[in-house]
Amino acid sequence: MSEAIVSLRNVDKRYIRGKQSVEVLQGLSLDIAKGEFVALMGPSGSGKTTLLNLIGGLDNATAGEITVAGERLDKLGSGALARWRARHVGFVFQFYNLMPMLTAQRNVELPLLLTNLSGAQRKANALAALTLVGIADRAKHKPNELSGGQAQRVAIARALVADPTLLVCDEPTGDLDRKSADEVLHLLQILNRDHGKTIVMVTHDPKAAEFASRQLHMDKGALLEAGTLAA
Amino acid sequence: MFKQLIAALSMGLQTLPQRLGASSVIVIGIAGVVAVLVSVLAMGAGFKHTLADSGRADRAIILRGGSDAELNSSLTRADIDTISNAPGLAKDSSGKALLSNELVIVVNVPKADTGTDANVTLRGVGLKLTEVRPELRIVNGRMFHPAVRELIAGAGAVKQFRGLTAGSMLHLRNADWIVTGVFTSNGDVHESELLADVDTVGSSVERTGYSSAIALLTGPVDFTRFKDALTTDPQLKVDVQREPEYYAAQSKPLTKAINVVGTTVAIIMAIGAMFGALNSMYSAVAARGLEIATLRAIGFGALPVLLSVMIEALLLSLLGGVIGASLAWLFFNGHSVSTLGGAFAQVVFQLTVTRTLIITGIIWACLIGLLGGFFPALRAARLPVAEALRAA
Ligand SMILES: Nc1ncnc2c1ncn2[C@@H]1O[C@H](COP(=O)(O)OP(=O)(O)OP(=O)(O)O)[C@@H](O)[C@H]1O
Ligand SMILES: [Mg+2]
């Protein structure tokens, strides 16, 4: 394995709800190398989203060390964590999470508002990202004028546009039909192979997992095995 | 930071149409507060204005020493004679002092709208009336004659009370009077009064003395000389004030009372409006939870999110404030009302929506908006991103 871009050591995650405490992850350790495309699988409630949120810096671990893109996330405050996310992570969600009032292009421009790029540069980069995901012709459309597959491609363009270190995708094809799902997965594969993007993707779909370079299986908050598969 | 704020704010504003109900709660609530506040304060301002416009700097009012208003002051005929010889007093061509010895009594006249009796000032005035008060204009009918029970009615009083038009008969204090004319006097407090010959008024109520004397001076600068002469005269025990100062002092207690009542009512309403704003901004933040969480995931800071919610609340309340102030201005500016004023009887005056009042109203609106927007904004900024994303 080359240089680890994600590294978790003895990570615990507990949710406290009132007096009840739910132990979701226990002593979890994991390394993901630069340029990997990891599929994270497992039954519902096994803690996949929880793990992904920790890797993406959306949530804090209860204990343990998390190093992603060279930064100890467990040591960052929320403001620093937000700035870190802006630089290093692109998120893709199951339900796309596009802003309904913005056009596709404006949605893709959102992460660029956190950079020093000028308006013209933002527009050009957004269009380039939309071209990369094959949907430049829909730049002026609003999300409700797009199909699920198209919307997810816009969301992927948004995740990519600021050139993050890592793409974090939670069931990106969970809401798509087979054909659109395959298109999206194929796109992720190209981004991984041809553009060197490290990708961590949660999925329930074994067919989707086959697009990845490595599959991880979780159960009851622990990783079962880490096998490396050829895609 | 600024780009993030603009983006977050414009996204919020673009979803406003979908949240029309909740947003209009803010606008309408605050419009109500500001409308009430501005119109009540306009009453105070109008009253003050009316009294402040009464009087000239070169005119003095002389009251018995220690009395704060005409109604509880009394001067004797001898006092009047002494006063008319004071230096600084203007004289007519035949050398007579331009002094109006006046007697103020309160009479009952039915109000125009309800027909119930209300207090009106009947002011007995001296023979030099028209020279002492050149602003007085007969606009209808003629001047009263002395020594008969005739009076003229102020234009404000004619509007607010029954049976004061020229030619009407009036029964006041067991005597019949004829209204011979209607006068104006630059919209001042006297337009709410009835004027008649002072000795006729005195004899009809069996009083020989006077309440006050109004003196026209040779100029505003002669006031001190005039005042000093009177106040140092051991024969006299009088207070001498410039007319504008006297009326300003008279307007104070009522203006203050109106402002206190108006502000109290507005504060109570403002608390209600603030909770309305709080509630609708909370629901706006809840409705936009996923959007906000997504922005935060992308890396937007907490501060731009907080400010965007605050500014949205502020813009809505500003709109409410402008609407409220405009309503107050449209419906009440220049609207005539009468009220029982301090030591006066009914004073007729116009509500005056001044620029200061409009600014006051809008400042109130902004404060309500800021308070109502702050806690929802804080909630938006502190939104737990991971949990909010799950709620999708
Ligand atoms: N905020 C929370 N408070 C309490 N428990 C939580 C919270 N979030 C998640 N959990 C619990 O943590 C466990 C793991 O949840 P998680 O969402 O990570 O599972 P998952 O593997 O992504 O499941 P799915 O496949 O259904 O998305 C679940 O039992 C869930 O109920
Ligand atoms: Mg999940």
Side-chain angles (χ1 to χ4, degrees):
Chain A
M1 245 197 278
S2 67
E3 171 199 354
I5 212 147
V6 176
S7 169
L8 281 77
R9 289 289 169 274
N10 297 317
V11 169
D12 288 352
K13 177 66 187 178
R14 212 174 300 134
Y15 289 110
I16 315 275
R17 182 152 289 176
K19 280 186 180 149
Q20 256 184 327
S21 152
V22 187
E23 190 90 37
V24 181
L25 303 180
Q26 290 140 346
L28 188 141
S29 295
L30 166 69
D31 284 301
I32 295 171
K34 191 168 161 51
E36 276 197 289
F37 181 177
V38 173
L40 189 56
M41 309 205 33
S44 190
S46 57
K48 305 181 296 293
T49 296
T50 303
L51 176 58
L52 205 63
N53 286 346
L54 292 179
I55 293 172
L58 290 177
D59 207 352
N60 298 110
T62 314
E65 294 176 10
I66 302 178
T67 310
V68 183
E71 195 80 53
R72 276 287 295 271
L73 302 191
D74 48 304
K75 295 228 190 301
L76 293 184
S78 73
L81 205 53
R83 285 188 293 277
W84 176 86
R85 286 195 299 268
R87 268 196 57 195
H88 292 292
V89 195
F91 290 95
V92 180
F93 304 97
Q94 179 174 358
F95 299 105
Y96 334 125
N97 291 20
L98 297 174
M99 304 293 151
M101 60 299 227
L102 301 182
T103 62
Q105 180 205 319
R106 289 279 179 200
N107 266 287
V108 175
E109 278 185 42
L110 282 176
L112 300 178
L113 295 174
L114 307 171
T115 67
N116 291 324
L117 295 182
S118 71
Q121 284 170 311
R122 291 200 297 267
K123 189 177 169 192
N125 289 15
L127 284 173
L130 285 169
T131 307
L132 184 64
V133 301
I135 199 165
D137 55 327
R138 299 301 175 115
K140 294 284 168 224
H141 290 241
K142 299 234 173 124
N144 62 3
E145 299 158 3
L146 301 174
S147 73
Q150 290 170 332
Q152 195 60 301
R153 279 191 278 164
V154 172
I156 292 171
R158 181 180 66 186
L160 279 177
V161 72
D163 193 25
T165 315
L166 185 70
L167 281 188
V168 159
C169 316
D170 198 349
E171 304 190 31
T173 58
D175 200 45
L176 300 180
D177 60 40
R178 186 73 258 160
K179 184 168 167 287
S180 313
D182 285 348
E183 283 167 10
V184 164
L185 290 161
H186 193 65
L187 176 61
L188 289 176
Q189 204 171 42
I190 289 172
L191 292 173
N192 173 248
R193 281 193 188 155
D194 302 352
H195 299 269
K197 288 281 160 235
T198 308
I199 301 177
V200 186
M201 171 181 79
V202 166
T203 183
H204 273 120
D205 175 8
K207 273 204 168 137
E210 284 172 16
F211 284 81
S213 58
R214 176 180 166 203
Q215 297 187 3
L216 292 174
H217 293 269
M218 276 194 91
D219 195 19
K220 298 194 181 93
L223 287 169
L224 290 185
E225 75 221 60
T228 308
L229 301 171
Chain B
M1 161 67 207
F2 194 62
K3 281 179 287 178
Q4 294 178 49
L5 172 58
I6 296 292
L9 181 63
S10 81
M11 274 181 253
L13 296 181
Q14 286 181 57
T15 58
L16 272 182
Q18 293 151 38
R19 296 181 273 122
L20 211 57
S23 325
S24 54
V25 166
I26 302 184
V27 177
I28 292 167
I30 289 177
V33 174
V34 173
V36 167
L37 180 77
V38 171
S39 29
V40 176
L41 295 186
M43 209 185 272
F47 184 67
K48 199 169 154 191
H49 194 240
T50 300
L51 291 196
D53 275 0
S54 306
R56 292 165 41 157
D58 63 350
R59 242 175 2 214
I61 177 166
I62 301 105
L63 300 177
R64 156 143 251 101
S67 26
D68 52 3
E70 284 180 291
L71 271 174
N72 38 43
S73 158
S74 69
L75 299 174
T76 63
R77 213 170 275 272
D79 293 337
I80 300 292
D81 288 342
T82 314
I83 295 165
S84 36
N85 291 318
L89 203 53
K91 302 270 168 31
D92 71 3
S93 49
S94 60
K96 290 198 91 179
L98 292 185
L99 185 76
S100 171
N101 46 325
E102 310 205 331
L103 174 60
V104 171
I105 65 170
V106 171
V107 294
N108 287 327
V109 181
K111 293 203 80 166
D113 46 4
T114 57
T116 53
D117 277 357
N119 291 336
V120 176
T121 296
L122 171 59
R123 178 182 292 272
V125 287
L127 295 172
K128 290 287 163 201
L129 170 72
T130 49
E131 283 137 294
V132 174
R133 290 206 177 90
E135 68 273 22
L136 205 117
R137 298 239 180 311
I138 302 290
V139 291
N140 198 353
R142 61 164 174 85
M143 180 53 97
F144 61 81
H145 291 314
V148 287
R149 290 209 172 104
E150 291 183 353
L151 57 81
I152 54 174
V158 173
K159 257 189 260 170
Q160 294 283 327
F161 298 98
R162 266 182 210 174
L164 294 183
T165 47
S168 314
M169 281 281 275
L170 211 56
H171 195 72
L172 304 173
R173 299 274 190 118
N174 301 321
D176 289 326
W177 292 77
I178 293 173
V179 182
T180 59
V182 175
F183 70 92
T184 59
S185 59
N186 277 349
D188 71 8
V189 66
H190 301 299
E191 281 190 17
S192 307
E193 298 178 341
L194 309 175
L195 303 185
D197 169 45
V198 66
D199 292 319
T200 312
V201 172
S203 69
S204 79
V205 295
E206 288 164 10
R207 271 177 66 174
T208 49
Y210 304 101
S211 310
S212 60
I214 311 297
L216 184 65
L217 306 176
T218 37
V221 289
D222 297 318
F223 173 77
T224 320
R225 196 156 58 100
F226 176 72
K227 178 182 175 171
D228 290 348
L230 294 185
T231 48
T232 53
D233 186 334
Q235 304 288 314
L236 278 177
K237 193 182 168 295
V238 292
D239 287 338
V240 183
Q241 296 172 69
R242 284 186 202 270
E243 250 187 351
E245 282 153 21
Y246 170 75
Y247 284 111
Q250 292 299 307
S251 74
K252 240 176 223 152
L254 187 70
T255 308
K256 212 170 147 188
I258 291 174
N259 288 352
V260 166
V261 170
T263 310
T264 309
V265 171
I267 285 176
I268 294 169
M269 288 182 67
I271 291 173
M274 198 195 70
F275 278 106
L278 208 63
N279 199 39
S280 28
M281 287 316 289
Y282 268 133
S283 63
V285 167
R288 297 183 52 212
L290 183 62
E291 266 164 53
I292 294 172
T294 305
L295 288 178
R296 297 283 283 126
I298 288 174
F300 275 59
L303 193 61
V305 168
L306 182 125
L307 290 179
S308 75
V309 176
M310 292 279 284
I311 292 174
E312 182 180 320
L314 199 61
L315 290 176
L316 289 172
S317 28
L318 201 61
L319 180 64
V322 169
I323 291 175
S326 311
L327 286 179
W329 186 79
L330 265 171
F331 286 105
F332 293 119
N333 195 31
H335 184 83
S336 281
V337 288
S338 72
T339 187
L340 208 61
F344 298 97
Q346 295 270 341
V347 173
V348 180
F349 61 93
Q350 296 194 331
L351 268 71
T352 317
V353 179
T354 60
R355 196 180 336 165
T356 321
L357 289 185
I358 289 185
I359 293 170
T360 306
I362 288 174
I363 289 175
W364 272 58
C366 292
L367 286 179
I368 296 170
L370 282 179
L371 284 175
F374 180 70
F375 294 100
L378 204 61
R379 179 179 289 182
R382 287 187 172 166
L383 185 81
V385 180
E387 261 178 71
L389 286 172
R390 271 175 204 278

